[in-house]
Amino acid sequence: MSNQSSVEILTEWDIVAARQLGRNVAKELGFGTVDQARITTAISELARNIYLYAGQGKIEIQRVTEKGLNGIMIIATDNGPGIPDIRKVMEDGFSTSGGLGAGLPGVKRLMDDFRIDTNLGEGTDIRATKWLR
Amino acid sequence: MVQIIESQYKEILARYIREQSEQNLYAGQRLSRQFLQENVQPEEVISMHKAALEELHGELPAEVWHSFDLLVEMMISYGMANRERQSLVKKQEELRVEMDLAAHVQDTLLKTDRPDVEGLDIGVVSIPSRAMNGDYIYFVYDDEGSAGVAVADVIGKGIPAALCMSMIKFGLDSLDNAAANPSEVLGVINRIVEKSIDDAMFVSMFYGKYNAENAVLTFGSAGHEPAILYRAETDRFEELRAKGLLLGVSPKAKYEDRDVQLRTGDLVIAMTDGVTEGRTEAGFIDQSIIFDMVREKKEAGAQEIAEYLYEELSRMQQADLRDDFTLVIYKKS
């Protein structure tokens, strides 16, 4: 079961729109204030990466259900340059560099599940889910 | 556990709002330590505060509650940084364990046996400034009364230096001739080092070969700190200098052999620059200080003198060794 909506990321204002969409869905699902803030921060980080490094892309917000749990999934997709070394980008300490993919370890920690697919020259697809407990 | 912390926090908050005492603040400080132990994130602390305050003073205006929502948002990044820090601390601990293992392997790998030569008492101290040692002592000896000692110092410290050491050890092992002169030994090791290590890495080495038959020490040096010779008869010091480039600079480097006759009570002290370049608050440690220390202990056994020098010099530097510290003492008995 899924129910989705999305925001195209072209300008910095679209980051705010993506956050708003995510917050609305998170609130409707019953996430508390702290988790709402975590989810929107994760959306912010992913949307900023798109805005700064890919130029344009899309943030989708999906309601997901699995094994009796409800959750929210953020899907960030772009057709940008891709990330050359995922392992490096996912390492702690790298996020402070401010470069491409910075903040991804943080996003991974803020959410429960995290998956990244990236191809050089083709783009990146990141899916991050938080479950309601 | 978190529920217990939450109720404790509410309790402390209630007490503090009633009475702003230092005791209540202290209770809060102690609880914050528990927050860290239980991995409570900054944003959760704010949320906990808001919930507790709502229960205690639900009558407060809406503006107050809104302000906490902003604060939660503000603290998320701090929470992220905090979690990242925890993960880095854990990684650092893993690295430390690995370093300890590596240092242990180094000890085993580079182990050298002190020769038992008639008329010669040998003392050795080698203390790394970090986990791995960039100084190296190696003995080459036979049953005919030849006892060679190599004292090497890789320019640089830590793991790269330690890795380089293994190469020197196997180079020395392959010589398998304790009677070889320093010029030959240094020449062979120079070619090995020159071929195998990167241009930015150099090794200095002192090589001394003692011949028990005539009590002559033949020594050579590859850009190494001069060894010190103490003459018991005259109570004077001499420097044992020999010409030669650092190992690894040029494959054509040539090394000297120099002879010195040892007499009873004489001491030969070969060391690395960690010994002579020790610093105190007053500046470099003067060579005359080392001479005085040697005079003080000249009657003792070689090992005792070596340990005495190490203890005194490291005490003078407030036990803050900046470089690996290595010395070997040959005492003619």
Side-chain angles (χ1 to χ4, degrees):
Chain A
M1 186 196 97
S2 79
N3 178 345
Q4 83 178 61
S5 40
S6 67
V7 174
E8 295 283 337
I9 307 293
L10 293 164
T11 72
E12 196 162 12
W13 298 113
D14 298 325
I15 300 174
V16 177
R19 287 177 56 107
Q20 187 64 62
L21 172 64
R23 188 178 300 273
N24 291 346
V25 175
K27 208 182 269 183
E28 281 163 28
L29 279 166
F31 281 102
T33 340
V34 172
D35 276 342
Q36 282 176 36
R38 285 176 179 154
I39 291 161
T40 46
T41 302
I43 293 170
S44 267
E45 294 284 333
L46 295 172
R48 266 188 82 76
N49 264 330
I50 292 175
Y51 168 68
L52 290 175
Y53 302 108
Q56 69 177 76
K58 194 169 67 173
I59 297 279
E60 290 171 49
I61 305 296
Q62 277 191 16
R63 293 161 196 256
V64 286
T65 307
E66 199 182 289
K67 293 175 194 150
L69 283 176
N70 286 321
I72 185 168
M73 186 196 277
I74 312 165
I75 305 170
T77 46
D78 67 61
N79 302 315
I83 298 168
D85 188 347
I86 300 186
R87 267 179 51 177
K88 200 159 189 180
V89 159
M90 294 312 295
E91 253 173 39
D92 282 313
F94 186 81
S95 62
T96 45
S97 71
L100 171 64
L104 290 185
V107 171
K108 189 175 175 185
R109 285 209 184 85
L110 290 171
M111 306 294 283
D112 296 320
D113 299 337
F114 182 90
R115 223 195 69 205
I116 178 166
D117 280 310
T118 183
N119 286 304
L120 281 185
E122 289 173 30
T124 303
D125 179 312
I126 297 174
R127 282 152 200 259
T129 311
K130 193 153 195 77
W131 301 105
L132 189 60
R133 286 167 213 277
Chain B
M1 193 64 208
V2 172
Q3 274 97 347
I4 299 172
I5 292 182
E6 271 171 3
S7 72
Q8 280 176 333
Y9 183 78
K10 192 180 136 196
E11 185 85 2
I12 293 170
L13 181 66
R15 283 209 304 266
Y16 185 72
I17 289 176
R18 231 180 299 132
E19 184 202 345
Q20 292 86 55
S21 74
E22 201 57 47
Q23 195 191 342
N24 290 333
L25 287 178
Y26 177 59
Q29 190 223 324
R30 283 181 41 182
L31 186 65
S32 74
R33 230 174 275 160
Q34 232 171 309
F35 282 12
L36 283 173
Q37 267 166 23
E38 295 298 319
N39 218 346
V40 181
Q41 299 301 318
E43 66 267 23
E44 287 164 334
V45 178
I46 313 287
S47 162
M48 201 183 284
H49 180 82
K50 182 188 175 190
L53 194 62
E54 260 176 333
E55 284 179 44
L56 295 168
H57 293 280
E59 74 282 5
L60 285 168
E63 287 89 336
V64 173
W65 310 121
H66 293 329
S67 79
F68 285 120
D69 294 338
L70 179 64
L71 196 51
V72 164
E73 197 75 34
M74 300 297 295
M75 295 316 281
I76 296 265
S77 302
Y78 287 89
M80 263 158 69
N82 183 39
R83 272 174 270 214
E84 181 162 346
R85 192 192 141 272
Q86 280 165 345
S87 129
L88 287 172
V89 165
K90 202 174 138 237
K91 246 188 234 169
Q92 194 188 21
E93 176 58 21
E94 286 165 8
L95 279 176
R96 201 191 56 76
V97 170
E98 251 179 72
M99 278 291 280
D100 284 351
L101 286 173
H104 181 70
V105 170
Q106 189 192 24
D107 284 347
T108 317
L109 199 68
L110 301 185
K111 217 175 110 207
T112 182
D113 292 322
R114 223 175 284 195
D116 192 3
V117 180
E118 208 182 314
L120 197 64
D121 178 20
I122 302 175
V124 176
V125 167
S126 187
I127 312 282
S129 68
R130 302 196 203 161
M132 314 260 303
N133 204 338
D135 286 354
Y136 184 50
I137 294 180
Y138 190 70
F139 292 105
V140 186
Y141 55 94
D142 60 20
D143 297 333
E144 262 99 85
S146 286
V149 63
V151 178
D153 183 357
V154 177
I155 316 292
K157 277 187 281 227
I159 298 170
L163 290 173
C164 179
M165 278 309 154
S166 339
M167 191 176 69
I168 292 173
K169 181 211 161 127
F170 295 115
L172 287 165
D173 263 348
S174 70
L175 285 168
D176 201 29
N177 175 14
N181 276 328
S183 56
E184 291 170 53
V185 175
L186 293 171
V188 169
I189 304 297
N190 178 52
R191 285 191 291 280
I192 295 175
V193 171
E194 205 270 331
K195 268 190 211 141
S196 329
I197 60 176
D198 119 4
D199 289 345
M201 203 179 234
F202 302 107
V203 183
S204 73
M205 188 188 282
F206 173 87
Y207 191 83
K209 184 198 71 173
Y210 177 76
N211 183 347
E213 262 175 45
N214 55 8
V216 167
L217 179 83
T218 308
F219 66 93
S221 171
H224 197 81
E225 194 73 20
I228 296 170
L229 170 64
Y230 171 74
R231 289 293 195 192
E233 209 174 55
T234 54
D235 191 37
R236 300 198 105 125
F237 288 89
E238 289 168 30
E239 279 188 342
L240 300 184
R241 288 182 181 275
K243 283 192 199 128
L245 278 177
L246 287 168
L247 302 175
V249 176
S250 156
K252 295 194 188 95
K254 291 267 179 274
Y255 297 96
E256 274 188 295
D257 286 320
R258 309 200 61 162
D259 285 346
V260 61
Q261 178 72 51
L262 300 186
R263 296 180 202 96
T264 302
D266 286 357
L267 296 167
V268 174
I269 305 168
M271 63 205 119
T272 57
D273 56 11
V275 177
T276 47
E277 285 178 7
R279 275 165 174 276
T280 62
E281 278 170 3
F284 281 109
I285 289 172
D286 201 280
Q287 209 177 32
S288 66
I289 295 175
I290 299 176
F291 290 174
D292 289 343
M293 288 176 187
V294 174
R295 278 203 180 94
E296 180 85 14
K297 274 277 162 185
K298 64 183 188 221
E299 304 300 336
Q303 186 60 32
E304 199 183 329
I305 304 174
E307 281 166 17
Y308 175 76
L309 286 175
Y310 169 67
E311 274 156 31
E312 288 298 301
L313 289 168
S314 80
R315 193 175 51 78
M316 285 176 70
Q317 295 172 65
Q318 310 283 308
D320 177 26
L321 287 182
R322 281 154 213 237
D323 201 354
D324 304 327
F325 183 109
T326 295
L327 59 84
V328 178
I329 298 183
Y330 271 19
K331 183 175 189 183
K332 175 77 183 80
S333 49

